[in-house]
Amino acid sequence: MNPFDNDNNNGNNGMNNMFLPPNYAVVQNKETQEVKVQKVGFSFTTLVFGIWPSVFRGDFYNTLCMIGVDFILAMVLTFLTGLNIAASAYEVFLIMPLAWSFVYNMMFFRHLQNKGFVPIDKRSAELLKRSYYFK
């Protein structure tokens, strides 16, 4: 019995009865058959570890985007406040993980969509569309 399935539908989500929490989506690249199972919503790992979850996922595109935005904000903060760049960067790198926590999983799924990934089952498709992660 699937502990995450309240109505106990046979637990089949297209992944050979792999039980997933309701906030996880499964996507697959039709060309390479690569499958990714990821959480939809707020990213606690990004909150705690900053950009490192994107590095460990091999998502270097979004890693570079996050670093670029962080450095641009540090430069703008330096210009506006007159602090030195080290103090501004320190403040940005303390604050930005909170902002990235709200948007990183969306950035990750949208990048996967651009690479040709599609939801593997109806539940994942509905979850991604409802969360505005896939168009």
Side-chain angles (χ1 to χ4, degrees):
M1 180 183 289
N2 184 345
F4 300 111
D5 191 6
N6 293 334
D7 58 0
N8 293 324
N9 295 332
N10 67 8
N12 188 0
N13 61 2
M15 291 288 296
N16 297 329
N17 293 330
M18 183 172 142
F19 300 134
L20 293 173
N23 59 340
Y24 275 70
V26 183
V27 293
Q28 180 180 28
N29 188 321
K30 292 298 181 184
E31 289 181 19
T32 64
Q33 302 303 315
E34 181 181 5
V35 175
K36 300 258 186 188
V37 179
Q38 298 294 333
K39 181 182 178 202
V40 173
F42 187 83
S43 174
F44 287 101
T45 55
T46 303
L47 176 65
V48 175
F49 299 111
I51 65 167
W52 290 107
S54 64
V55 172
F56 291 128
R57 284 183 182 178
D59 186 19
F60 300 114
Y61 173 81
N62 285 325
T63 301
L64 292 175
C65 289
M66 291 164 59
I67 290 171
V69 169
D70 287 352
F71 278 118
I72 289 170
L73 285 176
M75 287 188 288
V76 168
L77 188 61
T78 299
F79 178 74
L80 293 177
T81 62
L83 295 172
N84 64 15
I85 190 70
S88 297
Y90 179 74
E91 290 178 9
V92 166
F93 289 121
L94 285 179
I95 296 167
M96 285 309 290
L98 180 62
W100 292 128
S101 298
F102 286 100
V103 297
Y104 173 67
N105 284 338
M106 179 184 62
M107 291 168 46
F108 181 70
F109 274 110
R110 289 209 175 155
H111 186 64
L112 287 178
Q113 182 182 20
N114 291 338
K115 289 171 54 176
F117 282 80
V118 294
I120 201 169
D121 59 355
K122 182 180 170 187
R123 186 192 65 79
S124 294
E126 290 173 0
L127 176 63
L128 291 169
K129 284 188 187 260
R130 185 176 60 239
S131 301
Y132 302 106
Y133 279 26
F134 267 32
K135 297 172 188 168

